Amino acid sequence: MKKHFIDGKVAEPHLQQYIDVKNPSTGQVIDQIARGDANDIDDAVKSAKSALYSEWGNKNPIERSRILMNISNIVLKHKDELATIEAQDTGKPIELAKKDIDALARYFEYYAGAADKVHGMSIPYLNDYSVVMLRERVGVVGHIIPWNYPAQMLGRTLAPALAMGNASVIKPAEEACLTSLRFIELATEAGLPKGAVNIVTGYGIEAGAALTAHQDVELITFTGSPQAGVLVQKAAAEHYARCVLELGGKSPQIVFEDADLDKALPSLVNGLVQNAGQTCSAGTRVLVHESIYEKLKTLLAEKFNQLVAGSPESLPDCGPIITEAQYHRVNKFIRECIDSKLPKIAEGKISPDAPQSGFYVAPVIFGPVPRDHKLANDEVFGPVLALMTFKDEADAIELANGTDYGLVASVWSENGARQQRVAKRLEAGQVYINCFGAGGGIELPFGGVRKSGHGREKGFIALEEFSRVKTMINHHG
Ligand code: NAD
């Protein structure tokens, strides 16, 4: 049974209630987490606020940097343990979980290096003035973390927040928060002072909503559904807090007639199948020039027919869907595609060894998908790929930009001028040319436009989100 982590120690939930945690691979209950409420959130925010003015807040940048580096090292030391927890909690294949723990450590390594390198500037003004622009911490940061990459998302928002000297309250997703609870024990062991990071588990509409509504939270980073994102932004607006929102996508991979299909094919498949399609930046639409539609369809069908969904230990192409509710949602989406007579091109398999009680969905590809079909526009968050056609470059751009979302996109072509023309006109936070995902590089700024959200995480630029500017003007005559 797991409790909250507030003010440097384990804390009982005020409600004295707990939520079952299920392993999606087996459907079995493996643990319980505390059900947090507004009182728990208030305790956590108070602790974070006081940390800003005590041991944590008094650290020099170089001291913060060293603590972050210690955290990175301790995470790596416990990589297998953390990856096993992550795989059990989310159902993701163990190799993918290990990569996620590597990323968690890497976020702390990267931002450890940045903690003492964010400079302000001096600004030339009238001769009798001296002006400096300081870059300062924001204060208490609220982090709402999703269940699809719990460890990675923890690192992605927490490491830059701490690097800038903020103090944090984390509300992990109720579906998957065990890794973060083990992480905070390790981070404390690595020297993180009390109150710098607090974790309150529980439901989004209860603990999450209380965090976003708290008057003393100055910045909220949220990753999750567009619907919840709107609620978060409204709640933040009530007390004038800033928000960084990352809300998913319907990301296109554009395949021109001159594309190197041997190179593109693995990315077209993995861009969707990784994490069972439960990735905000999944390449869920493959847009192909009509002249090579049949060829690409045949190649993708061969690949999809071989894909296997299975339990984390069996090294499958993808694991189960996170919860029973999401499993039903994804299956309903697939049924609607079939009922609407959308041609099914190919479908993978569920491993016969996969536990019957797990939430497995076989990867599937449909096509050609009409532009007004639900599958062409709505996020499934499951392993379902839409194959669509375009007739020329302008049409490809219109189709790619034709959804409400804009998170990532890719261009597959051997024509350099076309690569540049198309990439520049795509409305997305990241555009790949002849690749997809690029290994998730922590150095690479990431974020959306429109329904995919706003603000940028990852890379050095994220430090701007987690800090604010003060201009100091001295009139010396
Ligand atoms: P969700 O948006 O409800 O949950 C994500 C996180 O937000 C969780 O920690 C949750 O507790 C919290 N939350 C929910 N409502 C909140 C509120 N009102 N105030 C504050 N916090 C709140 O997502 P979900 O219901 O778990 O999944 C539904 C859909 O969301 C998925 O099918 C998928 O399309 C999308 N999703 C996207 C991402 C992503 O990476 N962009 C991640 C998870 C889910």
Side-chain angles (χ1 to χ4, degrees), residues 252-256 259 268 285-289 390 393 396-397 399-401 409-413 422 426 434:
Q253 297 217 52
I254 309 172
V255 186
F256 284 96
L268 299 180
R285 293 185 294 153
V286 171
L287 318 182
V288 59
H289 189 262
F390 61 84
E393 207 176 286
I397 293 165
L399 179 56
N401 291 339
S410 73
V411 182
W412 294 91
S413 168
V422 176
L426 290 174
N434 289 339

Side-chain angles (χ1 to χ4, degrees), residues 144-145 147-148 171 173-174 204 208 222 225 248 280 326 329 379:
I144 312 258
I145 309 280
W147 42 259
N148 50 348
K171 209 301 282 170
E174 52 271 42
F222 171 86
S225 61
C280 48
Q326 281 292 111
R329 223 188 117 263
E379 191 176 41

Side-chain angles (χ1 to χ4, degrees), residues 19-22 33 89 145-147 171-177 201-205:
I19 303 167
D20 285 344
V21 177
K22 283 186 182 172
I33 53 159
D89 212 11
I145 309 280
W147 42 259
K171 209 301 282 170
E174 52 271 42
E175 296 85 356
C177 53
T201 56
Y203 296 117
I205 49 164

Side-chain angles (χ1 to χ4, degrees), residues 216-284:
D216 291 335
V217 175
E218 305 258 6
L219 167 68
I220 295 150
T221 79
F222 171 86
T223 304
S225 61
Q227 297 76 10
V230 169
L231 295 176
V232 165
Q233 184 149 0
K234 282 185 178 163
E238 291 290 335
H239 57 103
Y240 311 99
R242 267 204 278 141
C243 277
V244 177
L245 300 180
E246 204 268 86
L247 309 176
K250 192 74 194 176
S251 298
Q253 297 217 52
I254 309 172
V255 186
F256 284 96
E257 61 278 18
D258 62 343
D260 178 341
L261 293 187
D262 289 339
K263 190 174 174 201
L265 203 57
S267 289
L268 299 180
V269 177
N270 295 340
L272 178 269
V273 170
Q274 172 178 289
N275 211 32
Q278 305 171 111
T279 304
C280 48
S281 54
T284 50

Side-chain angles (χ1 to χ4, degrees), residues 219-391:
L219 167 68
I220 295 150
T221 79
F222 171 86
T223 304
S225 61
Q227 297 76 10
V230 169
L231 295 176
V232 165
Q233 184 149 0
K234 282 185 178 163
E238 291 290 335
H239 57 103
Y240 311 99
R242 267 204 278 141
C243 277
V244 177
L245 300 180
E246 204 268 86
L247 309 176
K250 192 74 194 176
S251 298
Q253 297 217 52
I254 309 172
V255 186
F256 284 96
E257 61 278 18
D258 62 343
D260 178 341
L261 293 187
D262 289 339
K263 190 174 174 201
L265 203 57
S267 289
L268 299 180
V269 177
N270 295 340
L272 178 269
V273 170
Q274 172 178 289
N275 211 32
Q278 305 171 111
T279 304
C280 48
S281 54
T284 50
R285 293 185 294 153
V286 171
L287 318 182
V288 59
H289 189 262
E290 56 195 14
S291 66
I292 58 162
Y293 174 77
E294 286 302 329
K295 186 175 175 192
L296 187 61
K297 176 179 143 181
T298 306
L299 291 170
L300 283 168
E302 280 169 15
K303 288 273 185 201
F304 266 73
N305 282 327
Q306 290 165 18
L307 293 173
V308 179
S311 58
E313 313 76 39
S314 63
L315 303 180
D317 296 297
C318 64
I321 299 297
I322 185 80
T323 57
E324 197 168 354
Q326 281 292 111
Y327 167 82
H328 288 307
R329 223 188 117 263
V330 173
N331 275 319
K332 180 164 171 272
F333 207 119
I334 295 172
R335 257 195 326 277
E336 284 170 6
C337 290
I338 292 166
D339 291 349
S340 67
K341 309 270 182 286
L342 203 57
K344 188 199 284 183
I345 295 173
E347 191 174 14
K349 291 176 197 51
I350 295 172
S351 162
D353 303 330
Q356 295 285 317
S357 50
F359 311 132
Y360 299 93
V361 173
V364 57
I365 173 169
F366 291 96
V369 178
R371 296 182 183 200
D372 59 355
H373 196 279
K374 187 178 157 78
L375 183 61
N377 297 288
D378 295 354
E379 191 176 41
V380 184
F381 235 60
V384 186
L385 188 62
L387 185 59
M388 305 175 69
T389 59
F390 61 84
K391 58 179 192 303

Side-chain angles (χ1 to χ4, degrees), residues 128-139:
D128 48 351
Y129 285 83
S130 291
V131 180
V132 290
M133 187 202 87
L134 304 174
R135 189 163 278 285
E136 300 183 330
R137 72 184 182 208
V138 177

Side-chain angles (χ1 to χ4, degrees), residues 52-53 57 61 64 115 118-121 132-141 160-167 218-219 242 462-472:
L52 291 172
Y53 301 99
R64 290 204 300 273
V118 181
H119 302 165
M121 60 169 96
V132 290
M133 187 202 87
L134 304 174
R135 189 163 278 285
E136 300 183 330
R137 72 184 182 208
V138 177
V140 177
V141 180
L162 293 177
M164 293 310 299
N166 300 290
E218 305 258 6
L219 167 68
R242 267 204 278 141
L463 296 163
E464 291 183 13
E465 302 284 1
F466 292 94
S467 61
R468 63 184 171 204
V469 162
K470 178 189 285 171
T471 313
M472 220 158 67

